[in-house]
């Protein structure tokens, strides 16, 4: 584990302002998610035409190896459950109170919109508050809010139920954004040699949480009514808060903070075309997830399934994502054509929605097994876009001269989370409106249209990169032989 007495991050070690490294061509990146082995290699991405250096430390499975994720990663399970728990039963419960699809779509969406708004605020003031303190405050806030949400079925009246749903979800989102933004920074400082491995671990656990949330939520709803799923999740978050309060180490500050000239902002990050495209890919993928979270249950209600069965169907996409994430990581190790994979993932998402809808021009109505096939394809596409978009952002930022410092990781993480949250706000909000106006089936054309736009932009970036001379797109001071985060041992 990371100890303040033994190890500290040093900006002097991470910044190589006086070095110039000539790009290395036709070498292969080896960034392993499945066997904990990350070799010292680098690559020149033939599509994007810039050197990609993800990490270069040798991680061994033997004694002394880092634990992928640690205590912070535990929060991914309840965090994913908070997002997906109510999917099988909340729409039906809201309709009993007179709430329309547009309104409960907004209840789903406001959570992510709040995360989008506050993520960069937390990132800016995290040092002043303290990562561990903010982490635990966020857990407690989300836990108490989840418990409070469970009592909403006692509320009578359409507008009162809707308003309280919105308010509690906003407060819950404030807590969720706090502990998830802190989790990445703590992990980056605690496990600087294995940020990529930890990312894969967190994504897999998040996928498991998305998978189990609706199933467990549906089962708890049938067993104990509306209150039980939310109280159970809230208590889980509070227990995790107690555990992390006593056992999560306090991350030490870096020995030297970055000078003002070395600090970069989000606008500088978004000016890089590949990073802008990665953010757009994440945004569009989250829209597709949000669209399903709000209106898939009403769409398959015609089959009169139990809440547990509805939960099992809803989690097909999340389960496929959890399984496919390490596979996509393995593919990126061998052939790191990240832009191409994002384009491919968007295409697979389109295929999934053609089956889920089904596409309005197909000559048959909704068939349950066809919908399940579509959800499988959707999960595969999400796995491709989520994994590759983050790796693309991180590698491109370093290649364009952003300092190899925890601040860069926080900036990339904030962009990634904000893009995801904004999409998860737009998705449920638009899906509820479209469901009321044109129905689920016709509304899927909106999602497919966005994915098609992403594919066109991605192909354009790839063509532009191939046609552009191989002249200096990367930062001249980037040392490709150094790990992104370097641990300095002091005695």
């Amino acid at each position: 584990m990371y100890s303040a007495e033994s190890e500290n991050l040093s900006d002097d070690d991470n910044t190589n302002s006086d070095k110039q490294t000539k790009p290395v061509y036709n070498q292969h990146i080896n960034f392993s998610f499945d066997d904990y082995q990350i070799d010292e290699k680098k690559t020149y991405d033939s599509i994007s035409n810039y050197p990609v250096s993800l990490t270069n430390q040798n991680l061994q499975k033997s004694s002394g190896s880092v634990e992928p994720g640690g205590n912070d990663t535990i929060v991914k399970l309840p965090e994913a459950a908070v997002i997906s728990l109510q999917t099988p039963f909340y729409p039906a419960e809201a309709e009993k109170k007179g709430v329309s699809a547009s309104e409960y779509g907004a209840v789903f969406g406001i959570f992510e919109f709040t995360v989008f708004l506050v993520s960069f605020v937390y990132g800016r003031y995290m040092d002043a508050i303290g990562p561990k303190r903010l982490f635990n405050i966020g857990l407690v806030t989300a836990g108490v809010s989840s418990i409070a949400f469970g009592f909403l079925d006692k509320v009578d009246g359409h507008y009162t139920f809707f308003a309280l749903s919105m308010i509690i979800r906003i407060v819950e989102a404030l807590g969720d954004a706090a502990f998830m933004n802190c989790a990445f920074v703590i992990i980056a400082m605690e496990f600087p040699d294995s940020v990529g491995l930890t990312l894969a671990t967190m994504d897999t656990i998040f996928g498991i949480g998305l998978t189990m949330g609706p199933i467990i939520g549906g089962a708890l709803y049938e067993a104990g009514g509306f209150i039980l799923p939310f109280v159970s999740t809230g208590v889980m978050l509070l227990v995790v808060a107690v555990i992390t309060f006593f056992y999560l180490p306090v991350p030490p500050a870096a020995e030297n903070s970055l000078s003002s000239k070395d600090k970069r902002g989000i606008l500088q990050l978004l000016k890089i075309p590949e990073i802008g495209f990665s953010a757009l890919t994440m945004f569009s993928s989250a829209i597709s997830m949000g669209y399903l979270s709000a209106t898939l249950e009403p769409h398959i209600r015609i089959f009169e399934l139990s809440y547990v069965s509805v939960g099992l169907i809803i989690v097909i996409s999340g389960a496929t994502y959890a399984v496919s994430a390490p596979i996509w990581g393995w593919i990126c190790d061998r052939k790191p054509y990240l832009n191409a994979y994002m384009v491919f993932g968007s295409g697979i998402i389109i295929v999934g929605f053609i089956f889920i809808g089904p596409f309005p021009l197909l000559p048959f109505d909704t068939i349950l097994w066809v919908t399940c096939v579509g959800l499988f394809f959707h999960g595969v596409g999400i796995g491709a876009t989520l994994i590759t978009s983050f790796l693309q952002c991180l590698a491109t930022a370093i290649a364009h001269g952003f300092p190899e410092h925890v601040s860069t990781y926080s900036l990339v993480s904030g962009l990634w989370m904000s893009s995801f949250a904004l999409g998860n706000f737009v998705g449920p909000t638009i899906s509820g409106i479209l469901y009321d106006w044109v129905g689920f089936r016709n509304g899927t054309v909106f999602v497919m249209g966005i994915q098609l736009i992403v594919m066109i932009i991605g192909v354009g970036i790839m063509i532009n990169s191939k046609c552009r001379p191989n002249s200096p797109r990367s930062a001249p001071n980037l040392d490709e032989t150094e790990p992104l985060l370097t641990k300095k041992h002091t005695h």
Side-chain angles (χ1 to χ4, degrees):
M1 299 293 289
Y2 198 99
S3 172
E5 298 177 356
S6 62
E7 298 171 346
N8 284 298
L9 291 173
S10 173
D11 296 327
D12 293 334
D13 292 337
N14 291 338
T15 307
N16 301 283
S17 59
D18 297 325
K19 296 182 181 181
Q20 292 188 0
T21 303
K22 187 176 181 178
V24 179
Y25 297 79
N26 300 325
Q27 293 194 30
H28 190 78
I29 194 165
N30 189 355
F31 188 77
S32 176
F33 290 93
D34 50 357
D35 60 4
Y36 300 1
Q37 187 73 30
I38 304 179
D39 295 327
E40 183 174 339
K41 292 187 179 180
K42 50 195 177 252
T43 185
Y44 194 93
D45 187 340
S46 62
I47 292 178
S48 300
N49 293 328
Y50 59 84
V52 178
S53 175
L54 293 175
T55 187
N56 309 86
Q57 289 296 96
N58 293 323
L59 304 180
Q60 303 294 338
K61 288 182 181 177
S62 60
S63 62
S65 62
V66 296
E67 303 170 18
N71 291 327
D72 319 355
T73 316
I74 299 173
V75 302
K76 275 291 183 178
L77 278 172
E79 189 242 353
V82 165
I83 295 174
S84 63
L85 184 78
Q86 67 271 32
T87 306
F89 58 86
Y90 180 78
E93 193 71 31
E95 289 177 359
K96 294 178 183 178
K97 307 289 186 178
V99 177
S100 67
S102 300
E103 290 172 324
Y104 62 68
V107 172
F108 280 94
I110 195 63
F111 182 95
E112 300 294 345
F113 185 65
T114 304
V115 173
F116 164 73
L117 290 178
V118 302
S119 287
F120 287 112
V121 177
Y122 285 145
R124 179 178 178 85
Y125 296 103
M126 191 181 301
D127 286 341
I129 301 173
K132 180 177 178 179
R133 183 180 295 110
L134 184 59
F135 183 87
N136 281 290
I137 290 173
L139 282 173
V140 172
T141 302
V144 173
S145 300
S146 179
I147 293 173
F149 201 90
F151 289 91
L152 282 176
D153 66 325
K154 312 299 182 184
V155 175
D156 294 324
H158 167 198
Y159 293 109
T160 304
F161 178 88
F162 173 67
L164 288 176
S165 294
M166 294 285 284
I167 292 171
I168 295 175
R169 287 291 278 179
I170 289 172
V171 175
E172 191 174 27
L174 292 173
D176 181 88
F179 71 73
M180 289 315 302
N181 273 278
C182 293
F184 186 87
V185 174
I186 293 173
I187 284 173
M189 299 180 71
E190 203 174 335
F191 305 103
D193 293 337
S194 59
V195 176
L197 173 61
T198 306
L199 171 67
T201 304
M202 291 177 68
D203 277 344
T204 300
I205 292 176
F206 184 78
I208 293 172
L210 286 177
T211 300
M212 299 304 298
I215 298 175
I216 296 175
L220 291 175
Y221 179 80
E222 290 189 343
F226 188 84
I227 188 174
L228 187 58
F230 298 103
V231 171
S232 301
T233 304
V235 170
M236 185 187 304
L237 286 167
L238 294 176
V239 169
V240 172
V242 173
I243 294 173
T244 56
F245 178 80
F246 288 105
Y247 293 102
L248 186 67
V250 177
E255 290 181 0
N256 298 301
S257 59
L258 290 177
S259 63
S260 58
K261 68 177 183 179
D262 291 326
K263 292 183 179 180
R264 308 291 184 91
I266 187 64
L267 294 180
Q268 291 170 290
L269 199 65
L270 288 172
K271 287 179 181 179
I272 304 172
E274 289 82 5
I275 291 182
F277 173 62
S278 298
L280 177 62
T281 302
M282 171 60 61
F283 170 70
S284 64
S285 300
I287 285 178
S288 72
M289 298 173 68
Y291 186 93
L292 294 177
S293 69
T295 54
L296 180 59
E297 185 275 329
H299 176 58
I300 61 176
R301 199 178 293 167
I302 58 174
F303 300 109
E304 299 181 351
L305 303 171
S306 67
Y307 289 108
V308 175
S309 298
V310 171
L312 288 170
I313 293 171
I314 289 174
V315 302
I316 291 174
S317 177
T320 307
Y321 159 64
V323 172
S324 66
I327 297 175
W328 281 111
W330 181 86
I331 293 173
C332 290
D333 290 348
R334 276 68 185 175
K335 300 289 184 182
Y337 302 136
L338 303 181
N339 281 335
Y341 299 152
M342 285 186 279
V343 171
F344 177 78
S346 296
I348 295 298
I349 291 174
I350 291 176
V351 173
F353 271 87
I354 288 175
F355 288 109
I356 294 171
F359 186 67
L361 298 181
L362 292 177
F364 55 85
D365 294 326
T366 303
I367 302 173
L368 187 59
W369 71 266
V370 174
T371 299
C372 293
V373 170
L375 291 170
F376 170 82
F377 279 109
H378 180 259
V380 174
I382 290 296
T385 56
L386 296 194
I387 294 296
T388 56
S389 62
F390 183 87
L391 295 179
Q392 178 80 313
C393 282
L394 183 58
T396 308
I398 299 299
H400 281 76
F402 279 71
E404 300 181 17
H405 186 264
V406 69
S407 61
T408 297
Y409 283 85
S410 300
L411 190 63
V412 171
S413 175
L415 175 63
W416 194 75
M417 286 188 63
S418 292
S419 300
F420 183 82
L422 182 60
N424 260 323
F425 163 71
V426 174
T429 303
I430 294 297
S431 71
I433 295 172
L434 291 175
Y435 188 86
D436 286 339
W437 287 2
V438 300
F440 181 93
R441 184 172 184 175
N442 292 323
T444 59
V445 176
F446 167 77
V447 179
M448 289 185 278
I450 291 179
Q451 299 300 324
L452 182 60
I453 292 172
V454 170
M455 292 180 67
I456 293 172
I457 294 174
V459 171
I461 289 177
M462 289 190 291
I463 293 174
N464 182 58
S465 298
K466 286 202 169 190
C467 294
R468 186 182 304 176
N470 291 337
S471 59
R473 294 184 55 216
S474 61
N477 63 344
L478 178 63
D479 184 354
E480 294 178 296
T481 64
E482 297 288 335
L484 286 177
L485 289 178
T486 306
K487 290 193 295 185
K488 182 179 179 180
H489 299 267
T490 58
H491 302 281

